[in-house]
Amino acid sequence: MRLLPTLLVVLALACFGCASASAPVQAQTSSSSFRQSGLASYYADKFQGRSTASGEPYDKNALTGAHRKLPFGTRVRVTNTKNGKSVVVRINDRGPYSKKRVIDLSRSAFSTIGKTAKGVLPVTIEVLE
């Protein structure tokens, strides 16, 4: 009998976590029409292996990114508006903390769409379903 209340609490917390993880995108717009333009930057190599906001370690070779509001696990297409190259990344961190930037990319993701020597690129972000 004591197990039932504990199980209900665990289920309630699991459901709450699921609902809150998807709420920010749904509140703004439908996921297929979310678009954002601005500058993208990439993580320096010194962050390799450090924990991201989602709890997973940063991997410069993975196709991941950081966004201020999109839920962890959201897949977005990031397109360099100068050359048309794009890459699909999974959001696993929070940031960027510079107001002029809209996304931070892993080194691998950034180098797929532009040269890392540039440091920042003009991009458009589209959420994928």
Side-chain angles (χ1 to χ4, degrees), residues 19-95:
S20 64
S22 62
V25 171
Q26 297 302 326
Q28 293 175 5
T29 182
S30 69
S31 62
S32 62
S33 65
F34 179 87
R35 289 176 61 97
Q36 187 177 19
S37 296
L39 296 175
S41 55
Y42 70 95
Y43 290 86
D45 288 344
K46 71 179 183 179
F47 294 107
Q48 178 68 17
R50 291 189 189 176
S51 288
T52 62
S54 68
E56 66 183 86
Y58 167 64
D59 178 359
K60 67 181 179 179
N61 298 310
L63 298 178
T64 57
H67 192 273
R68 287 183 198 92
K69 296 181 180 181
L70 291 174
F72 297 140
T74 301
R75 295 174 51 81
V76 297
R77 177 178 291 112
V78 182
T79 304
N80 180 336
T81 58
K82 295 272 188 187
N83 65 16
K85 292 182 179 180
S86 65
V87 64
V88 174
V89 301
R90 180 178 49 84
I91 301 300
N92 72 338
D93 201 6
R94 290 290 168 236

Side-chain angles (χ1 to χ4, degrees), residues 110-129:
F110 191 94
S111 65
T112 300
I113 61 172
K115 298 183 184 212
T116 55
K118 297 266 185 196
V120 295
L121 297 169
V123 297
T124 299
I125 301 169
E126 299 171 84
V127 171
L128 304 176
E129 291 189 30

